[in-house]
Amino acid sequence: MNYIKNLGKNQRFIVTVLFLGAVISIFDRMVMSLAITGIGDEFALDASMKGIILSSFFLGYAIMTIPGGWLADKFGSKIVIVISIMAWSLFTGLSGLAWSVTSLVIIRFLFGLGEGGFPGASTKAIAEYLPREKRPRSQAFIKSGDPVGLTLAPLIAVPIIVMFGWRAMFIFIAIVGVFLALSYLIIPKRDLSMMEQENVNHPKLSFRELLKLPRMWSFVIAWFGVCIYMWGFASWLPSYLMMDRGLNLFNAGMLSAIPTTVGVIGTLLGGYLVGTVFLGRERYLFIIAGLFGAIFITAMYFTPSLGMAILFQALVGLFMQAGMGGFWAVTHKAFPSNIIGSAAGLINFSGQIAGFISPMAIGFLITAMKGSFVAGIGFLVFGTLLFMVASIFIRVDNPNDQKKSKDEEVELIDAVILK
């Protein structure tokens, strides 16, 4: 992409490594949804218990998101990123050694703690190493690593599970994570002078002041809705294709990669659109994404045609990932750089609470409906509509404007007065 080529050598390296971190992060957590069928067979689990295993990761992740962002703001992103990747790689490997359901739930919880520090630290790293005008597109590029990881998970993990079993799969991907953590050690020191200059021009906020900004809560609620959809959809899509559409593991795994493959395009497109077509009107992109996401999830479930169901899955991925890519791109325009790690951590906290709730809730809904996915699909639609409604209240400044909007000016002045 042209904007990547226009980055400096060190900036390009930072963005590339953060992108790979996003890929491995999502990959490592999502292989559990592919392994859960084999785990369920080995430990004789019903859908409710599978949902608890899938959700245990998100509880640990949610607990660590806010501290992880705060630590990155205080000590810099590099140390938080390295420790985070090493920790999650360790517990990924231990997942393959689990000897009981209880041990697996605990290991997945600790795995979530390890991953929880990465999103806030990654967002902070962009503010540390890139000038303000290059951050939104770079953030969208890095977030495109999420659907890439979701796409690669079935393509790589399913053949390993089929040939060697689910335990070997966890150990294999843990080794990859260790090598990624070592690559972060050669990242250069952060550019403190650039951030200090920004802080002269923009009011510095504390975490307590951040909580008083109305826009903070618009972002938090919107991301909660996104993650109700995202983690429920990703966690149960393979099982839906097997249980409701009659596919085997291999075919279900391959087909579940389609919406995430399309989602890579959607994420990059979202980052582009918020800087061009929707510049200053970013919330309209999110509203459109949430509405069409709800429409296509519903259509996916009710169509009798497998081919049409796969098409609707792809359209869900395109629209929702466009909204999500644009969403994270504008965080750098919405919050000061000195507190961006904490803001990203708080936003991610709400998302991981949703991630904890969604797979487990859908598992219980499937059990309560005696194997039917209809209530679970309704829960996913609720998430996309919540994203749409919360996005109505998101306000982001147009960087081409010479003056800030009155609302923004009042927010920032009030926050500074509260010091």
Side-chain angles (χ1 to χ4, degrees), residues 53-88:
I53 293 173
L54 291 168
S55 291
S56 59
F57 158 83
F58 292 100
L59 179 60
Y61 191 107
I63 290 172
M64 194 60 196
T65 49
I66 295 177
W70 179 83
L71 289 169
D73 281 331
K74 187 171 182 63
F75 299 108
S77 62
K78 183 175 180 178
I79 184 64
V80 178
I81 287 173
V82 171
I83 292 175
S84 180
I85 296 176
M86 288 296 293
W88 94 52

Side-chain angles (χ1 to χ4, degrees), residues 22 37 61 70 73 88 96 154 163 180 212 219 275 347 350 392:
T37 300
Y61 191 107
W70 179 83
D73 281 331
W88 94 52
M163 289 188 290
L180 178 65
K212 295 181 181 294
F219 275 84
I347 294 167
S350 73
I392 296 172

Side-chain angles (χ1 to χ4, degrees), residues 397-413:
D397 294 323
N398 185 335
N400 293 328
D401 292 342
Q402 295 298 314
K403 295 190 298 182
K404 294 180 180 294
S405 68
K406 290 296 183 182
D407 289 345
E408 171 70 0
E409 190 174 328
V410 170
E411 284 186 34
L412 293 177
I413 290 174

Side-chain angles (χ1 to χ4, degrees), residues 1-19 129-130 134 138 141-142:
M1 299 179 67
N2 289 333
Y3 86 93
I4 292 293
K5 294 179 181 178
N6 292 333
L7 296 175
K9 182 178 179 181
N10 284 340
Q11 294 172 349
R12 198 156 49 240
F13 177 77
I14 294 295
V15 170
T16 300
V17 175
L18 290 173
F19 168 80
Y129 292 101
L130 278 78
K134 294 182 179 180
S138 297
F141 175 74
I142 291 166

